[in-house]
């Protein structure tokens, strides 16, 4: 194949936040907003790429892949993917890539995972490689974690790769077993609200949360006297019993993760049973945990959630993604979308904050590769 067109969606996480790197459960869905790449193969070892709205085309050689020193630029994600594909021995060819995106950048809707997966899928197709979807997701996670330096979990790359239209993806991040749960919303809709508070995942706060969870695991293992691999292995009762041995922060982080894992399973059962009211309830409880115990929300996200929940017809709302800014997601009746956006906008303007951006979305398919007819 010498020419391909790839579409890779963003994702919205419905529930199960900061649980993936704790080997727990998550339930994201791929969204309509996506990255599109038109790619041509080259006969040399150069990657030449342009991203609409990001200035002139840039290039690098596949033989010189150096990790970013400071804040990663978009080209570093491409280098990261080329590096990760090479690790297990895949040989990719040079390529020309033209990138466009309808995913807001850095807003917690996985624009970086979409870029990684789109680039990996394009280069694999142009190089005649068939990489199974789970392996593709894992390689892109490795790219972000080991090359870009954000120690992310597997959720985003998995959702971008394996999302399915009108379905939520329930993923066990330890075994990587997953099921597609029909997202039968009836008259309800998903509304994404971008707080427009800029967050960078590579900022130290994300990595710090991960380190705190690892520290909590070590403490809990000492208390229990048996090996605990991750917070996935701990029951709520055990966290409560160990409270006096844990610094307050580590207690809060552990309690949140253990409770969130239960909520994901309860929310999945509610969705399977068509009980959207309970599903919404779990979303809102998840936000409370992220705000009070995991402490990754911010005043803008809290205001979005609080204002949305006060509108009749809103079933649930929560921040989505890593937090510290970015987006919230609400489950709400289609007839109350206008009221909800108007209330949130009014609340923001009242505080002198910039008006949020709103996105309606449905659950979309994961990455797709097309080759144009000859
Ligand atoms: C980011 C990471 C994911 C996950 C979420 C929080 O999106 O890339 O792996 O940890 O934050 O749930």
């Amino acid at each position: 194949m010498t020419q391909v067109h790839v579409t890779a969606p963003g994702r919205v996480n419905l529930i199960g936040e900061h649980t993936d790197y704790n080997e727990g459960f998550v339930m994201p869905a791929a969204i309509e907003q996506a990255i599109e790449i038109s790619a041509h193969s080259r006969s040399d070892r150069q990657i030449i790429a342009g991203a609409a709205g990001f200035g002139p085309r840039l290039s690098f050689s596949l033989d010189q892949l150096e990790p970013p020193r400071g804040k990663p630029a978009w080209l570093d994600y491409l280098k990261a993917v080329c590096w990760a594909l090479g690790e297990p021995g895949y040989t990719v060819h040079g390529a020309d890539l033209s990138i466009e995106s309808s995913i807001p950048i850095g807003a917690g809707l996985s624009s970086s995972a979409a870029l990684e997966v789109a680039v990996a899928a394009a280069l694999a197709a142009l190089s005649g490689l068939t990489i199974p979807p789970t392996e593709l997701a894992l390689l892109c996670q490795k790219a972000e974690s080991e090359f870009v330096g954000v120690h992310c979990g597997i959720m985003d790359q998995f959702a971008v790769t394996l999302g399915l239209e009108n379905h939520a993806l329930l993923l066990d991040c330890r075994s990587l077993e997953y099921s597609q749960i029909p997202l039968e919303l009836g008259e309800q809709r998903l509304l994404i609200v971008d707080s427009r508070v800029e967050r960078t995942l590579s900022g130290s706060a994300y990595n710090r949360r991960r380190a705190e969870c690892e520290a909590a695991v070590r403490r809990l293992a000492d208390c229990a006297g048996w090996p605990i691999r991750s917070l996935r292995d701990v029951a709520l009762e055990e966290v409560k019993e160990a409270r006096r041995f844990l610094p307050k922060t580590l207690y809060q982080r552990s309690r949140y993760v253990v409770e969130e894992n239960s909520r994901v399973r309860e929310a999945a059962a509610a969705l399977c049973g068509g009980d959207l009211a309970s599903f919404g309830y779990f979303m809102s409880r998840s936000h409370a945990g992220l705000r009070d115990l995991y402490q990754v929300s911010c005043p803008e996200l809290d205001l979005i959630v609080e204002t949305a929940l006060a509108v009749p017809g809103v079933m649930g709302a929560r921040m989505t993604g890593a937090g510290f800014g970015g987006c919230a997601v609400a489950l709400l009746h289609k007839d109350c979308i206008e009221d909800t956006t108007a209330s949130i906008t009014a609340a923001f303007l009242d505080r002198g904050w910039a008006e949020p951006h709103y996105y309606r979305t449905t659950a979309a398919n994961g990455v797709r590769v097309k080759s144009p007819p000859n």
Side-chain angles (χ1 to χ4, degrees), residues 11 13 16-21 110 152-156 201 206 321-322:
R11 67 96 189 92
N13 189 18
E17 216 66 80
H18 290 275
T19 43
D20 59 353
Y21 54 81
S110 288
C152 64
I154 186 62
M155 169 170 73
D156 302 347
L201 201 56
Y206 181 89

Side-chain angles (χ1 to χ4, degrees), residues 216 236 239-244 246-256 293:
L236 185 57
V239 176
K240 287 184 181 165
E241 273 166 33
R243 184 172 189 162
R244 65 204 157 95
L246 290 173
K248 185 172 176 216
T249 313
L250 299 192
Y251 170 75
Q252 291 178 318
R253 307 297 187 250
S254 322
R255 180 169 180 156
Y256 162 77
L293 297 174

Side-chain angles (χ1 to χ4, degrees), residues 105-120:
I105 310 287
L109 299 177
S110 288
S111 52
S112 50
L115 179 60
E116 292 152 11
V117 170
V119 169

